Amino acid sequence: MVTSPRSAPSVVTRAERALGVVLAVVSGATIAVQSRINGELGVRLDDGVFAALISFGVGLGGLVILTPLVPQARQGLRLLRDSLAAGALPHWYYLGGVGGAALVATQGLTVGVLGVAVFVVAVVAGQTGSSLLVDRAGLGPGGRQPVTWPRLIGAALTLLAVAGAMSGRIDGTATLWLGLAPLVAGCGIAVQQAVNGQVRHVTGSALTATLVNFLVGTTALALTWAVVRIVVGPPNPLPREPWLYVGGILGAAFIGVAAFVVRWTGVLLFGLATIAGQLAGAVLLDLLVPAPGVQVQAATLIGTALTLVAVAVAALPGSPIRRSSTRRREAASQPQLTRSTEE
């Protein structure tokens, strides 16, 4: 029996929400490391799309080996087949890997120039705004998440942090394009997290959802790279350092965590928590092992601190924001309710 994506969400405890936030922060830090690795691989190959294809291909290979060894994942594959046959989810819900592929491709294309910290804050801008819309639309397994004042203020603070961190770094059309590419990719991350969470919901396995994500993403990147090679030509020879090829494993871990815990946190809170981990990890990487010509500026450090504050604000409880027309209708109905009670 396949569960409908619109079934009533289970009650989330405070401990589950807190654990979800912690796991999101840690997984965000791993994405910062992945960004640095894939960015360096893209520079070495002089081909960011091929670097992304290698990253996804390595992650997919690991998942293909691991999935049959886990009983719950094998059961998840059977439920995936049933859900596809029954139409339990719209077919586009299974295409979350396209968003991940776009993000990893922009890592290879831009991190070598922008640095990890600026890349991450550019992704933040797109991810934050789209997370509000995704939660409001109810695309995630937790159903519709109301827009509360803390969540809205937290998102606004994050965008302010992005603007500050990017100040002084946009010095030309090329650099502006490099900043816009991860911003657009960030818009797809919230959708990816939501639909992967739905796939995890119907299959009962985060590992199965991650496998679907990487299969779709690898296919999209392979098709894209085939076109790029025709237009641009072949990449440089493969580098020999083994650490340049572990980005896909880190990405698989991140997607698995996201598919598992987004039902506890909602898409926006999960996104903001991963942003905090990404920024903290990115600043440390740019301080300790910076890319050539990349220096951490004071504005980036301030933006990181402000983003951490935004995560804390967004996690606060708050009442949903209601439209003024809704409030007027409720106010108008109140006297009628009072008269009915008196009668």
Side-chain angles (χ1 to χ4, degrees), residues 239-267:
R240 296 182 178 180
E241 294 89 333
W243 64 271
L244 290 170
Y245 301 97
V246 302
I249 303 299
L250 297 176
F254 172 79
I255 298 301
V257 170
F260 186 76
V261 307
V262 74
R263 59 195 171 125
W264 293 341
T265 61
V267 176

Side-chain angles (χ1 to χ4, degrees), residues 131-139 143-147 151 323:
S131 293
L132 278 173
L133 297 177
V134 167
D135 273 347
R136 184 69 183 87
L139 295 182
R144 291 181 182 271
Q145 302 284 330
V147 178
R151 289 160 68 86
R323 296 179 180 178

Side-chain angles (χ1 to χ4, degrees), residues 91-295:
H91 285 168
W92 67 269
Y93 271 56
Y94 301 96
L95 302 180
V98 174
L103 177 68
V104 175
T106 57
Q107 289 173 348
L109 291 167
T110 66
V111 168
V113 177
L114 296 176
V116 182
V118 175
F119 170 85
V120 169
V121 295
V123 171
V124 166
Q127 185 178 358
T128 304
S130 59
S131 293
L132 278 173
L133 297 177
V134 167
D135 273 347
R136 184 69 183 87
L139 295 182
R144 291 181 182 271
Q145 302 284 330
V147 178
T148 63
W149 282 113
R151 289 160 68 86
L152 186 62
I153 293 171
L157 286 174
T158 308
L159 294 177
L160 181 61
V162 170
M166 291 291 288
S167 63
R169 298 302 300 264
I170 304 301
D171 54 6
T173 303
T175 310
L176 178 61
W177 178 87
L178 290 175
L180 288 176
L183 185 148
V184 173
C187 291
I189 295 304
V191 178
Q192 179 200 29
Q193 291 166 353
V195 298
N196 283 348
Q198 290 280 24
V199 175
R200 189 264 172 207
H201 184 60
V202 299
T203 62
S205 169
L207 190 58
T208 302
T210 306
L211 176 63
V212 172
N213 179 89
F214 269 75
L215 181 61
V216 170
T218 302
T219 303
L221 285 169
L223 294 174
T224 303
W225 184 66
V227 175
V228 169
R229 180 167 184 179
I230 294 172
V231 175
V232 178
N236 293 336
L238 294 172
R240 296 182 178 180
E241 294 89 333
W243 64 271
L244 290 170
Y245 301 97
V246 302
I249 303 299
L250 297 176
F254 172 79
I255 298 301
V257 170
F260 186 76
V261 307
V262 74
R263 59 195 171 125
W264 293 341
T265 61
V267 176
L268 177 63
L269 182 55
F270 180 86
L272 291 176
T274 57
I275 287 164
Q278 284 175 323
L279 281 172
V283 168
L284 288 175
L285 286 170
D286 279 349
L287 286 172
L288 300 176
V289 284
V294 174
Q295 293 182 342

